[in-house]
Amino acid sequence: MTLHRSMKLIGIGDNGLASLYPQYLQLIENCEVLVGGERVLEFFPDFAGEKITIKGGLSTLVERLSEETRNTVILASGDPLFYGIGSYLAKKLDIEIYPYMSSLQLAFAKMGESWQDAYVTSIHGRPMKGLAQKIDGKKKVALLTDAENSPNALARYLKHFGMTEYRAFVAENLQGVHEKYGWYSLDEMEVGHFSPLNVVILKQTMEPKCYTLGIDDEEFSQRKPDKGLITKKEIRVLSLQAMQLQKDSVIWDIGTCTGSMAIEAGKLAPEGQVFAVEKNAPDLENCLQNQQKFRVDITAIHSKAPQGLDNFPDPDAIFIGGTGGEMVELLQLCCQRLKPNGRIVLNAATIENLYKAVEAFKACGFAVDILQAQLARSKPILDMTRFVPLNPIYIISAYRKEENHE
């Protein structure tokens, strides 16, 4: 009779054996193969079976374990299903999971606060890019860090975007012999010395200024003396609606100028990514200033499209504020790169550009919707009110013909 092999994933704390239930210790004692990182395997110097150290990618480990016929225990820090190896292994192997407390649970316990209302994210092994719009306005934010994206780097980043409303609680080496935790101002966190094993919790001390959809044009830094080279607020809102953004959309903004469209798009898609190109260096400088003010961290490069777009990931939505005279080539590239069910939105101020754009989209097999926006803003005159018209704009929305469109 063949015995069914058993494979178990057990979470373990920094206090080693003391963090394990007797049942977990028994499972480890009875197994023949023990898998884990170097640090956790050191808790079991007397283990009699075979030890496998996790190094590098997990695909090789999965390949090896999928052929394993002996009883196996895999050890992982904390809760393996919380930014850990658990979800990956569970998809690939027939495995039972026994979690321990996550580092964040332990940190909130030390802090003495609830954490069901916290926004949780990780900058461990992933770029900090885009964090500003993810956390802006959140009252309580919990972050997993790493050696590069350390509490010091996080403090510098937050100060760059003016997020000085936060105090930080840093918890290091939780349950280990060098456990340490406490509160820091951003200035203190920027210069402090921290163990690589830490988590950071940010807590608002006051409410920051909140910008709703349709930020006033005057709020943006703009080129002088040519103020007005901006997608006007009303047109901006209509164009953003046409882009059909989701919270995790990848967005291109071509001819970003002040960055007004890219910034509002970033606020509507805080879990996504925004990539912008601008050919005029002074405009790009304004865009960078506006990013800081409005707390939207986008990738903006100095380039004349279509140059520079090759380095961007394929988009879910594209906004084209200016084409620099090479419209047909640019639109062809955008149509090729656009993801399924995506939208390209182009603003044209002349009937010539409207015609060129529609013909170029049709040649690529795209359908178009066109909204002609003729708007006027009120302006006081003595004790009365008159209206000042904005330039008429054609808002062109393009999408693949085979898609359902209502």
Side-chain angles (χ1 to χ4, degrees), residues 16 28 84 179:
I28 293 166
E179 179 180 271

Side-chain angles (χ1 to χ4, degrees), residues 289-398:
Q289 288 175 21
N290 288 324
Q291 285 183 59
Q292 282 180 261
K293 175 177 177 176
F294 298 109
R295 301 175 167 193
V296 178
D297 183 11
I298 69 176
T299 300
I301 64 167
H302 184 212
S303 176
K304 183 179 177 183
Q307 282 78 41
L309 300 178
D310 289 350
N311 299 321
F312 296 165
D314 288 349
D316 298 292
I318 302 173
F319 176 73
I320 303 173
T323 59
E326 296 170 6
M327 184 191 289
V328 176
E329 182 193 351
L330 177 60
L331 296 192
Q332 284 172 345
L333 180 118
C334 289
C335 290
Q336 287 164 12
R337 295 285 303 278
L338 188 70
K339 284 191 202 170
N341 300 311
R343 289 290 182 276
I344 302 172
V345 174
L346 185 148
N347 284 356
T350 67
I351 54 173
E352 288 80 7
N353 278 346
L354 168 67
Y355 176 77
K356 264 196 240 174
V358 171
E359 288 301 299
F361 282 130
K362 284 181 179 175
C364 292
F366 274 51
V368 295
D369 291 332
I370 305 161
L371 174 69
Q372 185 190 33
Q374 292 183 287
L375 302 166
R377 291 175 176 169
S378 66
K379 189 173 182 179
I381 174 167
L382 301 175
D383 60 344
M384 296 175 286
T385 304
R386 70 185 183 92
F387 281 86
V388 178
L390 301 177
N391 287 334
I393 295 287
Y394 302 101
I395 300 172
I396 307 159
S397 307

